[in-house]
Amino acid sequence: MSTEQPNGLLTHRTHSILHDFRLTLATRGGLGDALLYLYIAIFLRQYSWVVHSNVLAWMLTAPLAAFGWYLYISTKRIPAERSSSSFWLLVALPLLAIYALRAAFPDLSFDVLSYHLFQGERSIRGPLFMPGDFFPTAAPFNPAPDMLTAISRALLGYRLGTVINWLALVWAAQVTEKFLRPFVTRAWLRSACVLVVFLAEHLLFEVSTYMVDLLALPLLLEATYLTLRADEDKNTRGNIYHIAFLLGASAAFKITNLAVALPLLLLWAFKTWKHHTFAKQLKTGALALLVFVLPLLPFSIYMYRLTGNPLFPIGNVLFKSPYWPTHGGWDNRWGPTGFWQTIFWPVLAAFHPERHSELAVYSGRLAIGVIAATFGIVLLRKEIHLRQLCLLLLASCLLWSIAAIGYGRYGLYDELLAGIIVIVVAAALLRDRAHRTWTSIPALVLSLALLVQIAVACSYVLHHEWGGRSTFIADPSPYLQEARMFLRDRSLPEFLLQEQRNTLATVPVWVESSVKSTGIEVLLDHQRPIISINHPEYFFTRESRRQFVETVEQLSSPQMFSLCLAEEVPGAKQAATLRGLEVGSITPMEIPFFSNRERIGMMLIELRRPEEAEARTKFVSSWMNAAFPDSDYREQITALNAPLSMRAGEKLVLRFRVKNLGYSTWPAVGNQEGRFQVNIGNRWIKTGSKEVNELDGRTGMPADLQPGNEVELPLTVKAPAEPGDYILEIDMVHEGVTWFFERGAMPLRLTIRVER
């Protein structure tokens, strides 16, 4: 009996734990909570990147994610509500039909093949970069959403792997129903209104692609709902921790979601400040901040250790990573120009669709939402939660215009919120007509505008999409042929001919030489390193170019290969030449991209590291012709013996003390041609004019000058032949690259009179 009792007690405790778990899930869980398990798992998998074994890492991640998931749903202040049959028929089913329109055709979107597939395939197996890589993607952003789609792709195959987008939309729709419940009481009508909210073209353009913008929407909407209900819950501290996690996860998915997070956090603070003392608020805020950063932390630390910038490449003006330029910014093709256009961009975007996104079509959902929000704030003074919702839309729209450049894919939350606000404002105005009969007029106008927008949006969805794919309606026969591959398209190499497999098996390392190739390369073999030569930003600074040279030099074989689209071959060859590589044989190769019908015409380009002595020396020293970051071209030059006057044509040896105010070491020795070292030099400028004589003195440094150190240098200057008043400008020059003043430095200027 003594041996059976502990086992019986253990069994009883196990059953009790499982019973509590099932009860919690039954009473508080829903579709979204089930999907949330995967969301938690991908962040924990990033923490386990330090574990070298992928199998062991996932064995650790799975139970920890289950614990975190249980902790989240068991502490929810507002239990999940079961969706009615009308929801599944009027919302989930139509969204599934829209998803199915293109699902059989493999997604070939630009961003998908350029970096989304790469980030997903790499990150579910370990860190984003592997030994031998050189920045394979121009956009190494947090791969969390790509990890979600990679898991779905591994389970269901390439075509149906995008079904996670549909699940995220259904989850977001369930949250949307909670917003509408107080205003639309009939279940069937409310479900129809939920569907209306989601009929915005830029939401539906992505539903069957491997673009990742839809995945954060349920998190943002749930955080919004909890924030609006914050003052109804006595346990405001528990509420903010849930909100903080949802917003932190959303920001990890896409950093531009901070345009939503900031207004929500400010609103929560406003609604709950009276419930706590300042000390409690401070403690709660600190813990909430910790919860917020937990999803962001592992990848931020990883990128900081790799590049020196936790948001790389964003914000490099501040962080000054040596692997990316410190100048530049967002793509200026998109969004508003000027102050007033920025303020009114949510409305003006409807009239400038070419600046709203690459697809250049927009039905204007945000414009209608902003107008409805304005009506709500002015006319519905007693509807406190509704007015707060309207203020949230206006604030997040403004931040979207300013911080997120007003680009379409970065404003999908606002598109959803705009639809919700139009419906609830119209419903509230119609409900208010008992007191003011005229309020039905703006309600009907808003409703009519929304219906027109939906009609336009649906027409766009039938003809446009990020991958340019056809639909079942337009091409039913090819669609049905492709649909036969559902659940049979997990491995791209299985679609290749044996001869192609044999050829690709000999590839030691991939070189990214053009667009839309990295995704295919990583799907063919995720274990091969990838070296980029296509992104000029990675070749702007000396440190980055030195890293590239070292990476290529450390390869066991001088031979590399690149896959590129047939039309991209000239650009690929030019990129290889610019980086000092030699181009070898070029072999045509059709890649059956998960389809025997859908073949991509590509070229397999052989590239080689230079092996001849002269070419090899030039390649090894090529990093020296790159610039420092602009912030490193900073100097302090002090004259030790400056004259007030000189005779025409006279030569003098002047002495200067030079201090390195930058963060890079200035080299004293360049290449064999005398380029790329840092020297001191001078120019003569005629007073009152821009006449410059740049061919005067130069002096090299006796040794490399470390950051913060200084050196005394002589410089022989020769006065101009013509008498007059001149400015003698003393500056440092990075030979063959730039004068320091061209990068913002302040050279020393001496006023000298030249006499006969």
Side-chain angles (χ1 to χ4, degrees):
M1 291 183 63
S2 61
T3 57
E4 294 179 1
Q5 206 169 13
N7 290 337
L9 181 61
L10 182 62
T11 303
H12 175 74
R13 287 179 177 173
T14 302
H15 283 302
S16 177
I17 292 171
L18 291 175
H19 177 266
D20 291 343
F21 184 82
R22 289 194 296 267
L23 182 63
T24 300
L25 182 60
T27 57
R28 292 181 172 272
L31 169 68
D33 294 306
L35 198 57
L36 187 65
Y37 172 79
L38 289 179
Y39 282 62
I40 295 172
I42 59 170
F43 294 118
L44 289 174
R45 181 64 184 93
Q46 288 187 0
Y47 277 99
S48 67
W49 277 351
V50 295
V51 180
H52 296 297
S53 168
N54 187 42
V55 174
L56 178 59
W58 277 110
M59 289 176 63
L60 294 171
T61 296
L64 287 174
F67 173 76
W69 177 65
Y70 176 77
L71 185 65
Y72 179 90
I73 62 174
S74 63
T75 56
K76 285 175 64 174
R77 308 303 302 173
I78 305 173
E81 299 178 12
R82 298 298 178 185
S83 298
S84 63
S85 58
S86 62
F87 174 87
W88 296 105
L89 289 173
L90 294 182
V91 181
L93 191 59
L95 290 177
L96 182 61
I98 295 172
Y99 168 82
L101 270 178
R102 295 180 169 87
F105 298 115
D107 179 21
L108 296 171
S109 306
F110 182 94
D111 287 359
V112 169
L113 294 184
S114 292
Y115 64 93
H116 282 304
L117 293 178
F118 165 80
Q119 297 201 151
E121 293 299 314
R122 282 285 186 83
S123 298
I124 62 170
R125 295 177 172 88
L128 186 60
F129 296 155
M130 64 184 297
D133 278 346
F134 178 76
F135 295 104
T137 170
F141 300 134
N142 196 313
D146 293 308
M147 294 172 72
L148 273 179
T149 58
I151 292 172
S152 181
R153 186 164 60 246
L155 294 173
L156 300 173
Y158 189 82
R159 289 168 175 82
L160 291 181
T162 55
V163 78
I164 196 166
N165 287 334
W166 173 72
L167 293 173
L169 280 188
V170 173
W171 180 11
Q174 290 179 320
V175 182
T176 299
E177 188 178 30
K178 294 192 290 187
F179 283 100
L180 301 184
R181 194 177 296 273
F183 300 93
V184 185
T185 56
R186 294 182 181 179
W188 286 87
L189 179 58
R190 185 169 61 249
S191 296
C193 289
V194 172
L195 178 62
V196 163
V197 169
F198 283 80
L199 294 181
E201 69 278 5
H202 279 275
L203 286 164
L204 303 178
F205 284 157
E206 297 190 37
V207 70
S208 62
T209 73
Y210 281 102
M211 310 286 270
V212 296
D213 305 280
L214 303 180
L215 298 175
L217 294 179
L219 305 177
L220 293 169
L221 286 173
E222 183 69 19
T224 304
Y225 185 74
L226 292 177
T227 302
L228 291 175
R229 298 280 298 271
D231 52 356
E232 301 175 9
D233 191 350
K234 294 181 180 179
N235 186 6
T236 55
R237 293 178 64 182
N239 181 282
I240 187 56
Y241 300 148
H242 280 252
I243 294 171
F245 171 74
L246 293 168
L247 294 179
S250 301
F253 275 25
K254 193 171 286 290
I255 198 68
T256 50
N257 286 330
L258 289 174
V260 179
L262 182 59
L264 283 175
L265 292 173
L266 291 175
L267 178 59
W268 180 90
F270 173 76
K271 291 170 73 71
T272 61
W273 68 272
K274 58 186 176 183
H275 296 292
H276 302 295
T277 63
F278 178 76
K280 273 192 174 182
Q281 284 181 320
L282 194 62
K283 182 180 178 181
T284 301
L287 289 174
L289 179 62
L290 175 62
V291 173
F292 177 85
V293 301
L294 282 177
L296 294 153
L297 202 57
F299 188 71
S300 297
I301 293 174
Y302 173 75
M303 290 309 296
Y304 181 78
R305 294 182 63 185
L306 196 67
T307 69
N309 180 350
L311 302 176
F312 186 85
I314 298 172
N316 211 43
V317 172
L318 174 64
F319 293 105
K320 299 178 174 35
S321 167
Y323 300 104
W324 194 266
T326 55
H327 62 274
W330 291 106
D331 194 332
N332 59 11
R333 293 176 296 167
W334 317 119
T337 57
F339 175 80
W340 290 110
Q341 199 173 88
T342 300
I343 298 297
F344 294 105
W345 183 245
V347 175
L348 296 177
F351 303 97
H352 298 280
E354 76 285 352
R355 294 190 64 82
H356 185 259
S357 77
E358 292 91 335
L359 298 179
V361 292
Y362 185 47
S363 62
R365 166 68 69 84
L366 273 184
I368 304 169
V370 166
I371 295 170
T374 306
F375 275 126
I377 292 171
V378 174
L379 300 178
L380 301 170
R381 297 184 178 277
K382 294 182 180 180
E383 301 279 356
I384 302 300
H385 286 172
L386 176 52
R387 295 183 75 208
Q388 291 171 350
L389 196 64
C390 294
L391 285 172
L392 277 176
L393 176 65
L394 296 178
S396 60
C397 277
L398 181 61
L399 290 175
W400 169 70
S401 298
I402 296 172
I405 65 171
Y407 179 59
R409 288 195 294 113
Y410 302 158
L412 298 186
Y413 164 86
D414 292 322
E415 297 270 305
L416 281 179
L417 196 57
I420 293 172
I421 285 175
V422 171
I423 290 173
V424 298
V425 167
L429 289 173
L430 288 173
R431 189 171 59 188
D432 195 45
R433 64 181 177 177
H435 302 94
R436 294 178 288 181
T437 56
W438 60 269
T439 56
S440 61
I441 298 175
L444 294 174
V445 170
L446 289 173
S447 301
L448 180 61
L450 186 60
L451 291 175
V452 172
Q453 176 267 315
I454 289 170
V456 175
C458 289
S459 69
Y460 287 156
V461 170
L462 290 175
H463 299 95
H464 299 271
E465 186 253 1
W466 286 103
R469 294 176 295 172
S470 185
T471 66
F472 172 76
I473 297 172
D475 292 297
S477 180
Y479 184 98
L480 293 175
Q481 292 179 24
E482 293 294 331
R484 296 173 184 172
M485 300 308 301
F486 282 148
L487 300 176
R488 299 166 59 191
D489 52 354
R490 289 183 175 84
S491 171
L492 182 57
E494 290 182 1
F495 286 82
L496 301 179
L497 300 174
Q498 187 60 49
E499 182 182 355
Q500 292 176 316
R501 293 187 204 175
N502 294 339
T503 300
L504 296 176
T506 63
V507 172
V509 61
W510 290 113
V511 174
E512 186 194 6
S513 62
S514 65
V515 298
K516 297 178 70 171
S517 61
T518 314
I520 295 175
E521 291 165 353
V522 78
L523 287 174
L524 289 172
D525 191 342
H526 62 83
Q527 295 180 324
R528 295 286 183 264
I530 301 177
I531 295 174
S532 172
I533 62 174
N534 184 43
H535 307 298
E537 293 86 354
Y538 292 120
F539 294 87
F540 183 80
T541 67
R542 290 164 61 89
E543 178 60 26
S544 187
R545 292 210 53 170
R546 185 184 64 80
Q547 185 69 42
F548 166 75
V549 171
E550 287 185 0
T551 301
V552 174
E553 283 290 297
Q554 290 170 2
L555 296 176
S556 58
S557 168
Q559 191 179 45
M560 298 160 276
F561 289 90
S562 178
L563 273 175
C564 77
L565 300 175
E567 61 270 21
E568 297 288 336
V569 169
K573 293 169 65 176
Q574 182 181 31
T577 302
L578 284 173
R579 311 310 174 208
L581 302 179
E582 297 175 350
V583 180
S585 62
I586 301 177
T587 306
M589 180 173 288
E590 283 195 337
I591 303 294
F593 195 76
F594 295 105
S595 167
N596 294 321
R597 189 186 67 88
E598 188 70 58
R599 295 177 176 270
I600 304 176
M602 305 196 79
M603 296 290 183
L604 183 66
I605 305 176
E606 179 191 9
L607 299 172
R608 292 188 299 271
R609 181 179 62 206
E611 292 299 308
E612 293 185 3
E614 184 177 350
R616 186 67 173 272
T617 301
K618 186 176 181 180
F619 174 74
V620 170
S621 64
S622 63
W623 63 273
M624 300 174 68
N625 66 3
F628 301 125
D630 286 358
S631 58
D632 289 352
Y633 288 104
R634 297 295 180 264
E635 63 195 359
Q636 182 183 78
I637 303 177
T638 305
L640 301 180
N641 62 335
L644 296 177
S645 63
M646 294 177 65
R647 293 191 304 275
E650 180 184 10
K651 287 186 177 181
L652 285 179
V653 177
L654 307 183
R655 299 195 66 81
F656 300 93
R657 181 181 295 113
V658 179
K659 186 173 184 178
N660 181 351
L661 300 181
Y663 299 95
S664 294
T665 299
W666 297 349
V669 179
N671 65 0
Q672 295 177 347
E673 289 79 27
R675 304 176 65 193
F676 314 132
Q677 71 268 28
V678 173
N679 294 333
I680 190 172
N682 74 288
R683 296 177 292 276
W684 289 93
I685 304 173
K686 182 74 172 178
T687 302
S689 71
K690 294 183 180 180
E691 181 182 345
V692 178
N693 174 11
E694 296 200 28
L695 302 176
D696 200 8
R698 285 283 206 285
T699 300
M701 299 184 299
D704 294 349
L705 189 61
Q706 302 291 329
N709 290 355
E710 56 186 33
V711 63
E712 289 189 12
L713 297 174
L715 178 64
T716 301
V717 302
K718 181 180 180 180
E722 293 292 328
D725 292 327
Y726 289 87
I727 294 174
L728 175 61
E729 186 172 85
I730 311 298
D731 195 12
M732 304 303 288
V733 55
H734 192 182
E735 299 289 358
V737 181
T738 184
W739 286 88
F740 278 36
F741 83 91
E742 294 174 331
R743 301 302 176 96
M746 298 294 293
L748 174 66
R749 289 190 162 200
L750 304 173
T751 301
I752 296 180
R753 184 171 182 79
V754 175
E755 302 172 340
R756 289 190 184 277

